[in-house]
Amino acid sequence: MDSGPFVEAGSVRPLAVSGDIRSPALPQVPTIGEAGIPRYKAVGWFGLMAPAGTPASIVAKLSDVVAAATKSPDVIAALRAQGIEPTSSRPQEFAAFILDQLELHRQLVKDVDFKVSE
């Protein structure tokens, strides 16, 4: 959900944005690290994945197409209108990012001693 209209109307006050950089949509709002919680770096993301065993040439081609799309002015404008900052990464970088996010959330569950009850 895009919180921009609520922020603009003054009905909500953002305290921080997650991630390492300020959001272009909310440049006045500090990052969560700037707000005093440097370990928290969870971000929303979208990714394209292929089945295990997909030939490397196909994966590389898909990666190239996605990277080109994220540089398209129309795509950039459409995503930014939704509060999304478009980026792309190579498959190996994306895999490392996913593992980092999993570890971040594992540690968060451990830190808060989260329990699931039935």
Side-chain angles (χ1 to χ4, degrees):
M1 180 171 112
D2 180 13
S3 62
F6 299 103
V7 173
E8 290 172 15
S11 58
V12 297
R13 182 174 58 100
L15 301 177
V17 296
S18 62
D20 292 328
I21 60 171
R22 290 185 181 210
S23 167
L26 299 167
Q28 74 283 10
V29 179
T31 66
I32 200 106
E34 291 171 329
I37 308 172
R39 285 183 39 208
Y40 185 86
K41 296 191 194 266
V43 294
W45 55 270
F46 298 92
L48 180 64
M49 298 179 193
T54 300
S57 61
I58 303 275
V59 171
K61 179 65 175 172
L62 287 170
S63 180
D64 291 343
V65 169
V66 169
T70 62
K71 291 178 178 69
S72 161
D74 290 341
V75 171
I76 291 169
L79 290 173
R80 284 186 176 161
Q82 299 174 62
I84 301 168
E85 189 59 27
T87 62
S88 66
S89 61
R90 301 308 299 168
Q92 299 81 359
E93 295 167 326
F94 185 46
F97 169 79
I98 291 170
L99 292 175
D100 287 345
Q101 288 292 291
L102 286 170
E103 184 52 37
L104 172 78
H105 289 91
R106 270 191 206 103
Q107 189 61 48
L108 179 62
V109 167
K110 182 178 175 186
D111 288 350
V112 299
D113 195 27
F114 184 78
K115 301 270 192 267
V116 177
S117 60
E118 295 182 31

